[in-house]
Amino acid sequence: MDITVLSIFPKMFQALNESLIGKAQEKGLVNLDVVDFRDFTTNKQNHVDDSPYGGGAGMLLQAQPIYDAMDYVEQKRPGKKRVVLLDPAGKTFNTKIARDFAKEDQLVFICGHYEGFDERIKDLVTDEVSIGDYILTGGELPTMNMIDATLRFVPGVLGNAVSAEDESFSNGLLEYPQYSRPADFRGKKVPEVLISGDHEKIRLWRLKESLRKTLERRPDLLNTVELNDEEKKLLREIRSEN
């Protein structure tokens, strides 16, 4: 997978050279390129922003530097691209979108700053995406968030391929509680079923606890996930216990 980021703060992305994302780059599973679109501005002051027509507070990112930077990206890496604009007004990023992004050969993220974008920039874009209903100073941190979440679904990035499937939100539910050694820590014991060696009982316990946690902490998720008969039965048990 090839990932290109357009940003005026390219040094922020050095963090992605660490941990699993760094290892994925070393293995050649992902190529990450950060392009400073300030390098493409044509004005003498090296500005990438200007005041909006019609007046108003703040400055807008101009179309010209980003268009020229995208021309450069296309020359360097020709082919179909998914172009993502980080925008608070965009659809909210989630696991489904991360899985979808992970199927692409080329992703481009455009990081905003200041008040917003010249609207004409959006003609370059396939997706406008947000990470939530709040405002940050720029699109760099949300972009790193999305890259990290996306690459977890790229084969070979995680050491255990099952990990991404078992985690919260991967099946629409929150993840079940997990424990490690020792089995008894300061009187707090691991549930007996987890050390029983009975894989079917462990599977059912994990599924039930996943449903329980979702019901307690994010009941809204139960309105969006399609439960099978087994899950419906377990959910009825949980509700009767409560």
Side-chain angles (χ1 to χ4, degrees):
M1 170 183 278
D2 291 329
I3 297 177
T4 303
V5 179
L6 271 57
S7 168
I8 55 174
F9 297 104
K11 290 183 180 178
M12 291 184 68
F13 291 89
Q14 291 176 358
L16 294 181
N17 293 328
E18 303 295 330
S19 190
L20 290 175
I21 308 304
K23 291 178 180 178
Q25 292 181 73
E26 292 173 2
K27 294 176 183 176
L29 298 173
V30 58
N31 298 308
L32 178 62
D33 189 17
V34 185
V35 175
D36 186 346
F37 59 84
R38 192 185 296 278
D39 294 340
F40 296 87
T41 184
T42 56
N43 66 67
K44 294 180 180 178
Q45 294 77 25
N46 214 31
H47 289 166
V48 295
D49 63 320
D50 206 340
S51 55
Y53 280 116
M59 306 287 276
L60 295 179
L61 285 175
Q62 297 171 288
Q64 176 272 315
I66 292 179
Y67 266 78
D68 285 359
M70 284 297 296
D71 288 343
Y72 164 80
V73 172
E74 180 59 31
Q75 290 173 6
K76 187 175 180 180
R77 290 177 175 167
K80 182 182 176 183
K81 297 173 178 60
R82 192 85 172 260
V83 181
V84 182
L85 183 71
L86 280 296
D87 189 337
K91 59 188 175 184
T92 303
F93 184 75
N94 56 27
T95 295
K96 183 178 182 299
I97 295 175
R99 287 180 183 271
D100 199 24
F101 283 174
K103 299 173 185 176
E104 300 293 332
D105 293 327
Q106 294 196 55
L107 286 174
V108 179
F109 292 89
I110 302 176
C111 301
H113 260 276
Y114 311 115
E115 179 65 18
F117 300 90
D118 184 307
E119 190 71 14
R120 291 167 291 191
I121 291 170
K122 295 181 180 180
D123 290 340
L124 299 169
V125 171
T126 60
D127 301 83
E128 296 176 44
V129 186
S130 163
I131 60 166
D133 295 335
Y134 52 93
I135 306 297
L136 299 177
T137 55
E140 283 75 17
L141 292 176
T143 294
M144 286 187 268
N145 178 316
M146 293 184 196
I147 290 173
D148 188 293
T150 296
L151 290 181
R152 297 176 69 81
F153 293 107
V154 172
V157 171
L158 292 183
N160 181 356
V162 179
S163 295
E165 301 302 323
D166 280 348
E167 290 175 341
S168 291
F169 306 110
S170 292
N171 62 351
L173 303 173
L174 299 184
E175 189 177 17
Y176 49 81
Q178 299 193 72
Y179 301 84
S180 186
R181 292 182 178 86
D184 187 337
F185 177 70
R186 298 185 179 181
K188 302 177 189 295
K189 296 182 179 181
V190 173
E192 287 292 332
V193 64
L194 296 180
I195 55 179
S196 69
D198 188 322
H199 296 294
E200 177 59 14
K201 286 183 178 179
I202 291 171
R203 184 191 69 81
L204 285 172
W205 181 89
R206 286 176 169 172
L207 179 57
K208 187 173 182 177
E209 293 307 309
S210 176
L211 287 161
R212 189 191 307 277
K213 185 186 286 189
T214 304
L215 179 64
E216 292 174 350
R217 302 186 187 183
R218 289 291 306 276
D220 57 295
L221 294 175
L222 295 172
N223 296 324
T224 60
V225 65
E226 187 173 342
L227 301 179
N228 59 35
D229 290 341
E230 181 181 52
E231 291 165 337
K232 290 176 182 177
K233 179 176 180 292
L234 291 172
L235 189 58
R236 287 194 297 269
E237 289 180 9
I238 293 166
R239 284 179 166 142
S240 67
E241 292 167 6
N242 293 339

